[in-house]
Amino acid sequence: MLGAGLFTTEMFTPIVTAVTEIVPIAIGAGVGIFSVTWVAKKGFGLVKSMMNKG
């Protein structure tokens, strides 16, 4: 059983610190993944059109 008394300020502070450190990394990773997939799709389309011409 989890009681409300378990979640003290002392326990919560490191969680908040961890989240504030992880969020920018997560956003950066998300942007990176989005960029890679966008470039990959564009590149794949380019390769397909070149193969169709060839």
Side-chain angles (χ1 to χ4, degrees):
M1 292 289 289
L2 284 171
L6 279 171
F7 294 99
T8 57
T9 313
E10 290 80 33
M11 283 179 73
F12 199 67
T13 306
I15 296 165
V16 171
T17 308
V19 167
T20 52
E21 284 175 10
I22 290 163
V23 165
I25 297 163
I27 292 166
V31 168
I33 292 162
F34 178 78
S35 302
V36 167
T37 50
W38 187 82
V39 168
K41 281 179 184 175
K42 287 282 177 188
F44 186 70
L46 191 74
V47 168
K48 267 179 75 178
S49 65
M50 283 175 74
M51 285 177 90
N52 287 343
K53 285 173 188 170

